[in-house]
Amino acid sequence: MESLPSSVPTRQPSVLDPYVDRYAARTAGMTASEIRALFAVASRPEVVSLAGGMPNISGLPLDVVGGAIADLVATDGPTAMQYGSGQGVPELREQICDVMRLEGIAAHADDVVVTVGSQQAVDLVTRVFCDPGDVVICEAPSYVGALGVFKGYQCEVVHADMDADGLVPQALRDAIRATKAAGKTIKFLYTIPNFHNPAGVTLSVERRHEIVEICAEEGILILEDNPYGLLGFDRDPLPAMRSLQSDNIIYLGSFSKTFAPGFRVGWALAPHSVREKLVLAQESATLCPPQFSQMAISAYLSVHDWQGQIKQFREMYRERRDAMIGALSDMMPASVRWNVPDGGFYVWLTLPPGVNAKAMLPRAVTARVAYVPGTAFFADGFGSSSMRLSYCYPTPERIREGVRRLAGVIEAELELLDTFGDTRELRLGAGLDNPGTDVH
C-alpha cells in the first residue's frame, strides 16, 4: 500500500470552543441552571409548567402603569432616559425605606443601593466580600440563582439543614463549627427567611433572634434575601432579621414579586461602610442601574395604592396555593409528602424512597408537565428525592391539570419499583428530604 504524499495535511481534531484554553478559571463554575434548561420545553403551550417562578402580573393595573409612564416621559423624559447615580434615584430610595418599614426596618435612604434586581445585589455582595475558596453558608435547599453566583466566584457552599420552621439554629452552629475546624473562612450566611425559595417554609420569629445572635457571636455577616416577605396569605409581615440588628446584616429586596419583574429593580440595604463598596462595585459592573426603570417604579408608587395592589396579589396567590394543595391532596399517592406554604410561590414535594425526581423529569415532560428537580437547589448533589412546584403563574384549572399529570407519572414510577425493585443509587438530601420533616 502506498503511503500518502508528505504534502497531504494531517486532519486536526475539531474543537467546539477554540477559546477554551483562554478562559479564566472561575468560568468553570458558570453553568446553566436546571431551571433555565427547562424553559425551552416548559414554555410550550401544551406543557403545564409548575417549574418557573414567574410572577403573575395579570392583575396589575396596566392603565395606571401606562399613565404613570406616559406622564414620566412627558414631564421628565430627558432625565429618565439619561445616565443616573450608581447608588440609585434618591426619591426611589426614600420610597424603598417606606416599603421596608412594613417589616419593621428603620433605614435611611443613604444606606440603600438600587440594583438590577436582587439577583445583582447577591452578585455585588459576593464580589465585595468573597475570595476563591471562601465559604458561604446556605440553607439546604437554597435558591438556585444564588448558588450560581457563589459557584461563579469560586466560593465553597456549606449547607445547613432546614425544617418546617426554617433554618435550624443547631444545624447552623454545627456548620460553623465544622467549617472553622477545617481552617476555612466563612464570609456570610445566605438566607431567605420568608416563604423560602424553593422550600416554601418561613423562619419562625424565635429562630430569627437566635440566628442573628449566633452570627453576631461568630462574627459572620448575614445576607437576608427577602423578595417574598410582603406576600403572606394569612398574617401581617413578620419582622425582618434586619429589623433586629443593623450592624451585621445586609438586607436585599425586590420589586419583581410585588410589582413587575420586567423593570429589573431591586435593592440592598447595607451598613454604611459596606454601602460605599457596593456602589463602587455597581459602577464597575453597570455604571448605574437603569434610570428609566427606577423613575417608572417611583412614579407608580407615587400615584397608585401599591399596598392595596400587593393585597390583591396575595389573594390571587392564595387562591393558586389552595388549588395546588387541594389537587395534591386529591390526586397524589399516599406516600408523597409536601409542605403547605403560608405565602410566596412554592411547594416543596418529597417523593417516596426510590423515586428520583431528576431521572423522572423526561417522562414528566413527555406527559406534558414540568417541575424543577430538587438537585438544582443543592450545591452538593443532594435533593434527588424532592422537587419544587410553583403555583404562582398557572391558573387554578391549569394547576389542577398539571398535578393530575404529575401524579400519573409518579404512580407509573411506583409501579415500576413494585415490579423491578429499586436498582438505582440515590443520594437523599438532608433536612427537608428527611422522613422526620413536618410536612403534609
Side-chain angles (χ1 to χ4, degrees):
M1 181 177 181
E2 294 185 4
S3 61
L4 291 173
S6 58
S7 60
V8 176
T10 304
R11 177 175 293 178
Q12 298 296 320
S14 60
V15 178
L16 293 177
D17 185 351
Y19 302 98
V20 68
D21 295 329
R22 308 185 200 179
Y23 294 133
R26 62 180 172 274
T27 61
M30 297 169 61
T31 55
S33 73
E34 295 183 33
I35 296 177
R36 176 182 164 193
L38 277 170
F39 275 153
V41 172
S43 61
R44 297 176 186 169
E46 70 273 16
V47 175
V48 178
S49 177
L50 305 177
M54 291 189 301
N56 192 316
I57 59 174
S58 60
L60 198 65
L62 296 183
D63 56 340
V64 174
V65 177
I69 292 176
D71 290 343
L72 171 64
V73 173
T75 61
D76 219 358
T79 300
M81 290 182 275
Q82 187 54 271
Y83 287 123
S85 162
Q87 187 171 353
V89 172
E91 183 178 1
L92 179 62
R93 289 190 277 116
E94 293 281 0
Q95 292 166 313
I96 286 171
C97 290
D98 293 336
V99 173
M100 293 188 293
R101 197 170 292 116
L102 297 177
E103 295 180 287
I105 297 175
H108 195 284
D110 285 351
D111 293 327
V112 174
V113 180
V114 179
T115 58
V116 184
S118 60
Q119 178 72 19
Q120 191 205 22
V122 175
D123 185 280
L124 296 179
V125 171
T126 309
R127 184 191 307 187
V128 165
F129 279 97
C130 293
D131 293 313
D134 285 342
V135 169
V136 177
I137 298 179
C138 298
E139 294 141 335
S142 190
Y143 168 50
V144 63
L147 294 178
V149 170
F150 305 147
K151 187 176 181 182
Y153 282 103
Q154 299 173 286
C155 300
E156 179 182 344
V157 170
V158 173
H159 283 299
D161 286 353
M162 303 172 70
D163 62 18
D165 292 317
L167 177 61
V168 178
Q170 187 55 51
L172 174 60
R173 290 186 186 276
D174 292 343
I176 293 171
R177 185 181 303 112
T179 302
K180 289 188 172 182
K184 299 176 181 178
T185 301
I186 302 171
K187 284 300 174 72
F188 55 82
L189 163 69
Y190 173 78
T191 179
I192 304 174
N194 296 308
F195 321 124
H196 188 273
N197 178 7
V201 300
T202 295
L203 185 65
S204 67
V205 173
E206 296 76 18
R207 287 189 180 180
R208 292 173 192 238
H209 286 273
E210 188 172 355
I211 288 168
V212 168
E213 291 173 2
I214 291 170
C215 290
E217 292 168 1
E218 298 286 350
I220 297 172
L221 185 72
I222 297 175
L223 185 56
E224 179 182 13
D225 195 359
N226 188 35
Y228 309 97
L230 299 183
L231 294 177
F233 300 149
D234 303 308
R235 64 184 177 203
D236 292 332
L238 294 178
M241 299 170 76
R242 178 59 172 70
S243 72
L244 308 177
Q245 181 175 303
S246 59
D247 294 338
N248 200 46
I249 300 174
I250 298 175
Y251 174 98
L252 308 185
S254 174
F255 288 107
S256 292
K257 310 303 187 294
T258 56
F259 179 44
F263 288 92
R264 302 308 300 132
V265 174
W267 70 89
L269 172 66
H272 196 75
S273 56
V274 175
R275 185 282 317 267
E276 183 60 25
K277 289 288 193 295
L278 294 179
V279 172
L280 293 173
Q282 166 77 281
E283 290 173 343
S284 70
T286 65
L287 190 61
C288 61
Q291 181 101 331
F292 189 90
S293 292
Q294 294 178 73
M295 294 182 71
I297 289 182
S298 180
Y300 165 81
L301 295 175
S302 298
V303 302
H304 188 60
D305 177 16
W306 57 270
Q307 293 192 50
Q309 184 63 53
I310 290 174
K311 182 179 179 182
Q312 292 182 34
F313 283 144
R314 291 167 58 184
E315 292 170 352
M316 177 182 61
Y317 292 135
R318 181 195 293 118
E319 179 186 24
R320 284 161 165 74
R321 186 277 312 266
D322 291 346
M324 175 162 282
I325 297 302
L328 291 171
S329 299
D330 292 342
M331 302 177 191
M332 280 293 164
S335 52
V336 177
R337 297 175 299 154
W338 57 89
N339 64 312
V340 180
D342 58 352
F345 289 2
Y346 306 110
V347 168
W348 186 252
L349 184 143
T350 302
L351 296 165
V355 181
N356 186 314
K358 188 171 183 178
M360 187 177 73
L361 182 58
R363 293 182 283 281
V365 171
T366 300
R368 296 173 298 153
V369 62
Y371 57 84
V372 184
T375 50
F377 306 102
F378 290 83
D380 50 15
F382 278 48
S384 60
S385 66
S386 296
M387 65 177 67
R388 189 192 75 178
L389 301 179
S390 173
Y391 52 80
C392 53
Y393 192 76
T395 63
E397 294 74 22
R398 291 283 283 173
I399 289 170
R400 189 168 183 86
E401 174 60 20
V403 171
R404 185 192 68 79
R405 297 175 187 180
L406 179 59
V409 175
I410 295 173
E411 288 171 351
E413 291 290 297
L414 292 174
E415 290 176 3
L416 286 173
L417 284 173
D418 287 342
T419 302
F420 299 107
D422 182 9
T423 60
R424 291 166 296 185
E425 242 179 72
L426 296 177
R427 294 185 68 199
L428 300 182
L432 289 172
D433 282 348
N434 285 344
T437 300
D438 182 15
V439 292
H440 185 89

